[in-house]
Amino acid sequence: MDGNGRWAKARGLPRTDGHTAGEENLAAVVRAAVKRDVGWLTAFGFSTENWIRPRREVRHILGLHEKLFGRVAELNELNVRIQWIGRPFDSPTAKTPRFVQRAIAKAIADTAQNTGMTLTIAFDYGSCTELATAAQRIIADRVPATAENLQERLYLPDLPDVDVLVRTSGELRISNFLLWQINGSTVYFTEKAWPDFDAAELDAALALLPTG
Ligand code: IPE
Ligand code: MG
């Protein structure tokens, strides 16, 4: 969900306002995606690299994730199951504070019975670390290093491969996001900053879906 800072700057607002608008926009995109029968939606909320941002900004983004995972009533109304992808909380390098851990655990438990779209939030997530962890698990389990064995040792083995990857804010590069899972994925590039990514943008991205 890139471009929150630039969105705010263009409006003479503090970066934190851009993140606030971005969180609200995700809630709107979730509603639009449900209407369009999207089965799986995965959003990059916060990366393993983002912790070095100014403390105030990080604190604000943490609060927004607490808010996002707190949208349980809304998710239940939409029949959306929420899950999280990221560095396990018990890993020595994990930095997720307890209040965010609790919000994540509660949201997962309280939406687990929903059968519609699965919304996955990447928080304290980095794809290279995920793949390194999967490789370490292969070694620990003493199994052959096959693609199948690696897939089974990803953070969320049941997350399907990505059909369409969306890059907002005019970024023409891939980031440290689902590098294994985007194998074969179509990429939708847009100039729009994340807070401006609306239903029409979602339709443009979905129009790139392979048919048949
Ligand atoms: C994305 O917006 C939000 C996070 C990475 C947490 P940015 O903060 O990256 O916005 P820009 O790239 O500075 O515009
Ligand atoms: Mg950015």
Side-chain angles (χ1 to χ4, degrees), residues 2-3 6 53:
D2 211 354
R6 278 164 280 179
R53 290 188 179 209

Side-chain angles (χ1 to χ4, degrees), residues 1-9 15 18-19 22 44-47 50 53 57 61 65 167-169 171 173 193-195:
M1 299 185 282
D2 211 354
N4 293 344
R6 278 164 280 179
W7 182 91
K9 195 174 175 207
R15 293 179 59 82
H19 296 310
F44 204 173
F46 196 76
S47 77
N50 285 152
R53 290 188 179 209
E57 186 178 349
I61 295 170
H65 279 81
R167 283 268 23 192
T168 56
S169 220
E171 298 291 345
R173 59 184 173 84
W194 170 252

Side-chain angles (χ1 to χ4, degrees), residues 161-181:
D161 281 349
V162 174
D163 292 316
V164 185
L165 173 70
V166 171
R167 283 268 23 192
T168 56
S169 220
E171 298 291 345
L172 298 180
R173 59 184 173 84
I174 296 301
S175 68
N176 191 12
F177 187 55
L178 303 179
L179 294 174
W180 179 275
Q181 298 88 336

Side-chain angles (χ1 to χ4, degrees), residues 42-137:
T42 305
F44 204 173
F46 196 76
S47 77
T48 49
E49 290 83 40
N50 285 152
W51 293 104
I52 59 163
R53 290 188 179 209
R55 273 225 336 248
R56 264 198 67 235
E57 186 178 349
V58 170
R59 248 201 315 266
H60 186 82
I61 295 170
L62 292 178
L64 286 172
H65 279 81
E66 187 184 25
K67 183 178 171 203
L68 170 61
F69 282 98
R71 291 180 182 265
V72 167
E74 211 173 310
L75 295 171
N76 282 338
E77 211 165 294
L78 294 167
N79 195 23
V80 170
R81 176 173 76 108
I82 200 166
Q83 55 177 14
W84 158 75
I85 187 166
R87 219 162 13 181
F89 299 143
D90 61 358
S91 97
T93 44
K95 290 186 183 69
T96 305
R98 291 255 180 235
F99 75 96
V100 179
Q101 292 186 23
R102 273 195 293 270
I104 290 173
K106 186 167 184 339
I108 292 171
D110 292 353
T111 65
Q113 75 291 346
N114 292 335
T115 54
M117 188 175 82
T118 299
L119 170 66
T120 305
I121 305 298
F123 180 88
D124 192 25
Y125 176 80
S127 189
C128 292
T129 302
E130 176 184 30
L131 293 171
T133 302
Q136 287 156 11
R137 290 172 181 169

